[in-house]
Amino acid sequence: MLDKTFPHADVEARLYARWERSGVFGANPESNARPYCIVIPPPNVTGSLHMGHALNNTLQDVLIRWRRMRGDDALWMPGTDHAGIATQMVVDRMLAAEGVRTQDLGRDRFIERVWDWKAQSGGTITRQLRRMGASLDWPRERFTMDEGLSKAVTEVFVALHRQGLLYRAKRLVNWDPKFHSAISDLEVENREVKGSLWHIRYAIAGEDGLSITVATTRPETMLGDTGVAVHPDDDRYKALVGREAILPLSGRRIPIVADPYSDPEKGTGAVKITPAHDFNDFEVGRRHDLAVLNVFDADARLLDIPEVPEAYRGLDRFEARKRIVADLETAGALERTEPHTHMVPHGDRSGVVIEPYLTDQWFVDAKTLAAPAISAVESGRTVFVPRQWENTFFAWMRDIEPWCVSRQLWWGHQIPAWYAPDGEIFVAHTEEEAKRAAAEKYGHEVELVRDPDVLDTWFSSALWPFSTLGWPEKTPELARYYPGEVLVTGFDIIFFWVARMMMMGLHFMGEVPFRTVYVHGLVRDKRGQKMSKSKGNVTDPLDLVERFGADALRFTLAAMESQGRDIKLSDERIEGYRNFGTKLWNAARFCQMNSCLPVPGWDPHAAKLTLNRWILGALAEAAAEATRALEEYRFDVYTGGLYQFVWGTFCDWYLELAKAPLNGPDGTEKDETRATAAFVLDTVLALLHPVQPFLTEELWHALADRGPGTCEGARTLMTEPWPDAAALPRDPDAEAEVEWVLRLVTELRAIRAEMGVPPGKEVVAHLKDAHAATRERLARWKDAVLRLARLSDITPLDGEVPKGAAQGVVDEATLVLPLEGVIDLAAERARLAREIARQQDEIRRLEAKLANPSFVARAAEEVVEETREKREAAEATAARLGAALARIAE
């Protein structure tokens, strides 16, 4: 017999270990089944499970378990990312705690320490994914720095270089002065900063007393100015275009150019152009052939060069700012200073202000690679769900810049390029290959030095869909599982990862890496705020698993995932869905106690009882909806439909109505009802298995001896067939009859509740103007209606409706409940009127708040949304109370 409650902690540990040991998560490349592949977005090896991972991997697991049950050869490819900067930071801090400086340790010994750390701690997140029930094909687990993937990275780098699509150049990059490395846009965090806007006069060469004023938030960069830009149509400055301005404090002359980048409506309409220290200025400088003058070193200190006045050389950028502003004021070149709040880029890990920095780096010709990816989405070879994310994809891809792929770190894939003494570059698979190429060029051996930089983490992860399958080798897995079916990801990495996988997949495999990109939303706190450590509202998914169980958390995340909308997560939500699991558990106990156990070979088409044919039809509809929802990636519809069927249709209605035949004499009706209940429960367990694997597997085994199979000698629900809705019987007449009974009981219960009839009080009800067929239905189901609606009797009514009766409508008939003497009708009318008035006052108050433009503009988005929800709830309550009052109007 099942325990009274579901012991989730014991069951989860036992079942997962059994599943993993038996290998049932594994794909089979030799299978004749249809291949279905999902590659996991590889979490950082430094990471631990957060709510974003929990959502992302729950959705993937729902899909992979569902397709496994449909008979597909399902591969869910696991793995982790080496996470260059993040991992180097972790080991740097570890060494610092030991009193060891990374630079003193040296590159080789540092990398050894990283590998040691990875071996000890790098599997944290994969262990946590197991706690969530993720059915990944673990023996195939890959790591972006393992030997096979490193070989793929080298092959791609060399091939792109030989094709002219990867090159070394001097360009602006996001530079982190703390890490001394270029970083990706994804590692840049824009923060709002209260600063100043300085208006500086630049004198016009050859014109005493004439100047042009520019406004800047970064006066320390003015020493790198090589031009001033004004808009071509700005009449104020037309006479100055082609003239020269004199740079304050240095005396250097710079040209004044006409360029549409300058906005006449912004600031003074004139902007300083510093091509080496601003991305927009770099493009302006390129259009007008302006000099590119770098005035900072790698620490963001001013360089010791002739263009930098001696007083500022060696100063930190922020100290230089103070000195320069003071000297401008002394020189009379500072027109005015005004407060200015603006967004400033910071390194998301270092926390320091990022510097646009001109440096030699390796770049990929992303524009050329982007064209086939754009075409693939335009033609529908890859589809985004929801579709609106395609616009985001197109916006980024059509305006794409060269991709900086080099990083000044030690941890990562070292760039396979070697330099000769004269600076000639040899890109090769190995040092031996590079030396042969150098000897061929020079006619003799030369000493080569390898590029010390490593590749951007996104470079190796861009190859993930095919490198994990063995590429560049032509493996059976590569031929069978590429392209994958779907990628499940967050919107924040559509450009950084999704787009780059598409570029690389199309270029090297000639095919898109996945046919569908499902983009989910963010998991926020219960008020709709983004989770962050600073706000103290971060929720640890493993804490929730401990408290509520993995199934409850998984069901909650899937139920609240509505085509990319953000999720407001609360303990109350998870507790509610845990209660759903409890409801199913109790239903299984009821079935077990009433001998409703699976009958091998039982055919649902053999059912004769109206009640049983009705529930089988409802089951068919629920199964069809579940399948349809998963096919359309509507996780909320999938879980919501099964929730309603299990809780309402099966538990609250069918099992209640089934008590009559189950408690009746032995015979055909009881046997059929037992078999039907068991069949429906078995089917429900299969339908719910993708989202609630532990609960369903435990119940499935507890209800019957399932016989031998592949999971440690036994069968497992995981590999049972997905229910075929089309194979289930449908009986429209039975469905119509039982649905009428449910509507009748529901209306009776609603009237009782609205009128405040005590739950234990049995009352009489009547049906007025009922057709003959309706009266016959009532006769057949009268006992059930009396029991479920707590009535002493229900009869047809041929005369007038008695005074003081509440009324409702069920199809063509009027439902009448005489309440005279049952409740105080006058007091009830007064109570309802008072409550309606109170709700209307609340509606007016909330509407006034929402009509206030100041409130809507200034209040947090989640507060405005909460106010709207309160108004809608008050309107619904007022409508319900109004209907109740109308029932007993004098």
Side-chain angles (χ1 to χ4, degrees), residues 188-194 342-353:
V188 175
E189 180 182 277
N190 286 301
R191 301 178 188 171
E192 189 174 83
V193 172
K194 292 182 178 179
H342 60 132
M343 303 303 290
V344 176
H346 289 70
D348 67 345
R349 291 185 173 87
S350 67
V352 303
V353 174

Side-chain angles (χ1 to χ4, degrees), residues 221-286:
T221 65
M222 66 177 287
L223 301 177
D225 287 0
T226 58
V228 172
V230 297
H231 196 277
D233 299 329
D234 194 333
D235 291 335
R236 294 174 295 175
Y237 301 120
K238 279 188 175 179
L240 295 180
V241 175
R243 304 284 298 274
E244 289 183 321
I246 299 175
L247 197 62
L249 305 182
S250 79
R252 188 160 46 82
R253 293 189 174 201
I254 57 176
I256 300 173
V257 299
D259 194 278
Y261 169 64
S262 179
D263 184 354
E265 304 298 322
K266 189 175 179 181
T268 66
V271 292
K272 59 192 283 300
I273 302 300
T274 320
H277 298 290
D278 184 277
F279 289 101
N280 292 316
D281 290 5
F282 183 81
E283 295 303 321
V284 175
R286 192 162 61 174

Side-chain angles (χ1 to χ4, degrees), residues 1-118:
M1 179 61 66
L2 287 167
D3 294 338
K4 288 187 177 181
T5 58
F6 174 48
H8 69 82
D10 294 340
V11 169
E12 289 165 5
R14 169 169 46 81
L15 285 182
Y16 197 91
R18 180 180 162 216
W19 288 331
E20 188 172 358
R21 282 194 308 266
S22 65
V24 291
F25 297 158
N28 179 9
E30 298 178 0
S31 167
N32 293 322
R34 177 186 181 276
Y36 180 93
C37 178
I38 299 177
V39 292
I40 192 173
N44 289 352
V45 71
T46 60
S48 60
L49 197 71
H50 57 62
M51 288 310 307
H53 290 130
L55 170 63
N56 182 273
N57 287 283
T58 291
L59 301 182
Q60 291 177 82
D61 198 36
V62 167
L63 292 173
I64 212 77
R65 286 177 181 270
W66 166 56
R67 296 307 289 249
R68 197 181 280 132
M69 294 177 75
R70 292 194 79 170
D72 292 350
D73 175 26
L75 168 60
W76 187 11
M77 175 65 73
T80 51
D81 191 285
H82 65 279
I85 269 187
T87 302
Q88 185 147 331
M89 273 183 64
V90 168
V91 181
D92 278 342
R93 286 197 295 263
M94 185 176 69
L95 291 170
E98 299 172 9
V100 177
R101 288 180 69 249
T102 297
Q103 297 301 322
D104 294 341
L105 197 63
R107 181 176 193 137
D108 291 343
R109 290 184 60 201
F110 174 78
I111 291 174
E112 286 177 11
R113 290 295 299 268
V114 178
W115 280 108
D116 288 344
W117 173 86
K118 194 263 180 185

